[in-house]
């Protein structure tokens, strides 16, 4: 029992870490392709992830990565966050719209060196949240597609890293002198994957909405 209570992040077996990555990929797919169709569920899930992950990170920092404590914090904080955004509908719409705009603006601007980029990203996020309140349907479809694409991309990269695929790719790119070259194409490839997934998710959601309107009108 004491060993379980003292369980820390570095003790988590790779198999369980892989399950977390797969779960994240499933969540990303829900956001990306079914975000507006499952909007109330997505709002609750967003609240759960925001509050739960924040609480787990705080507890993990204070307890030096104690897994049981982080799990309890994730559950309690997540439930509180989910209830908040699920019942405070307009607040949830604002948060998802803001997060989606933050994701898009970050991917477009994070490589620029100017010091004002951080403020620009934050300002665009605020504008996106306000737009979501004014034009809910299209903004929510675009925002959830962008968020889901980000989760899918990063969980895919994590799975590839865990499987050693990224290391194998780096080894194939080793230069003649044995030094590993700079691989900027991995960054650009991840950005391209995010953009493609976001576009596909948005198109799928808009297409589904058009089909439902045709069926209802017919």
């Amino acid at each position: 029992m004491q060993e379980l209570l003292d369980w820390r992040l570095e003790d988590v077996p790779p198999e369980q870490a892989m399950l977390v990555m797969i779960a994240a990929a499933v969540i990303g797919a829900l956001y990306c392709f079914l975000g507006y169709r499952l909007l109330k569920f997505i709002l609750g899930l967003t609240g759960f992830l925001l509050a739960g992950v924040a609480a787990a990170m705080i507890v993990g920092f204070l307890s030096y990565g104690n897994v049981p404590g982080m799990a309890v914090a994730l559950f309690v904080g997540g439930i509180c966050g989910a209830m908040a955004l699920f019942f405070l509908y307009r607040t949830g719409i604002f948060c998802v719209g803001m997060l989606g705009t933050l994701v898009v603006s970050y991917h477009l601007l994070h490589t620029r060196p100017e010091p004002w980029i951080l403020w620009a990203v934050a300002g665009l996020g605020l504008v996106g949240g306000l737009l979501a309140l004014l034009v809910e349907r299209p903004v929510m479809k675009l925002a959830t597609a962008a968020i889901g694409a980000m989760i899918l991309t990063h969980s895919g990269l994590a799975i590839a890293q865990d499987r050693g695929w990224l290391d194998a790719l780096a080894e194939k790119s080793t230069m003649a002198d044995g030094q590993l070259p700079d691989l900027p194409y991995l960054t650009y490839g991840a950005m391209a994957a995010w953009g493609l997934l976001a576009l596909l998710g948005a198109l799928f959601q808009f297409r589904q909405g058009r089909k439902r309107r045709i069926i209802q009108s017919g």
Side-chain angles (χ1 to χ4, degrees):
M1 184 65 180
Q2 187 62 39
E3 291 183 0
L4 180 62
L5 294 177
D6 292 336
W7 195 21
R8 302 196 178 278
L9 283 177
E10 58 267 22
D11 301 325
V12 176
E15 296 79 10
Q16 294 189 12
M18 177 61 69
L19 290 177
V20 173
M21 300 172 200
I22 294 174
V26 173
I27 291 173
L30 289 177
Y31 270 90
C32 191
F33 297 101
L34 297 173
Y36 192 72
R37 190 169 184 178
L38 303 175
L39 184 57
K40 287 190 176 181
F41 172 77
I42 290 297
L43 293 180
L45 182 58
T46 302
F48 183 92
L49 293 175
L50 287 176
V53 171
M57 289 178 64
I58 293 172
V59 171
F61 175 78
L62 296 176
S63 64
Y64 302 99
N66 182 269
V67 173
M70 293 177 66
V72 172
L74 174 68
F75 179 77
V76 174
I79 292 298
C80 293
M83 297 287 285
L85 290 196
F86 184 82
F87 289 105
L88 299 175
Y89 182 81
R90 301 297 288 174
T91 302
I93 293 295
F94 175 84
C95 288
V96 174
M98 180 180 67
L99 286 173
T101 311
L102 286 173
V103 169
V104 173
S105 57
Y106 170 78
H107 279 83
L108 294 178
L109 299 175
H110 79 282
T111 57
R112 298 184 62 87
E114 291 86 353
W116 50 264
I117 293 299
L118 179 61
W119 296 104
V121 171
L124 288 171
L126 180 61
V127 171
L130 295 175
L131 279 176
L133 295 176
L134 297 174
V135 195
E136 177 184 313
R137 187 189 301 269
V139 174
M140 282 295 96
K141 291 179 179 180
L142 293 172
T144 53
I147 295 170
M150 182 193 70
I151 298 173
L152 277 171
T153 301
H154 285 279
S155 58
L157 287 173
I159 291 172
Q161 180 65 40
D162 182 78
R163 291 297 183 182
W165 298 334
L166 295 183
D167 293 334
L169 180 62
E171 289 177 3
K172 288 182 180 180
S173 304
T174 302
M175 296 186 294
D177 59 1
Q179 297 296 318
L180 288 178
D182 184 22
L183 300 178
Y185 57 80
L186 289 178
T187 299
Y188 295 129
M191 290 179 63
W194 166 80
L196 179 60
L197 285 169
L199 177 62
L200 291 175
L203 290 175
F204 183 84
Q205 291 197 54
F206 279 107
R207 184 176 179 84
Q208 289 296 310
R210 189 177 305 150
K211 285 183 177 179
R212 290 181 65 183
R213 285 195 295 273
I214 292 174
I215 293 174
Q216 291 174 357
S217 61

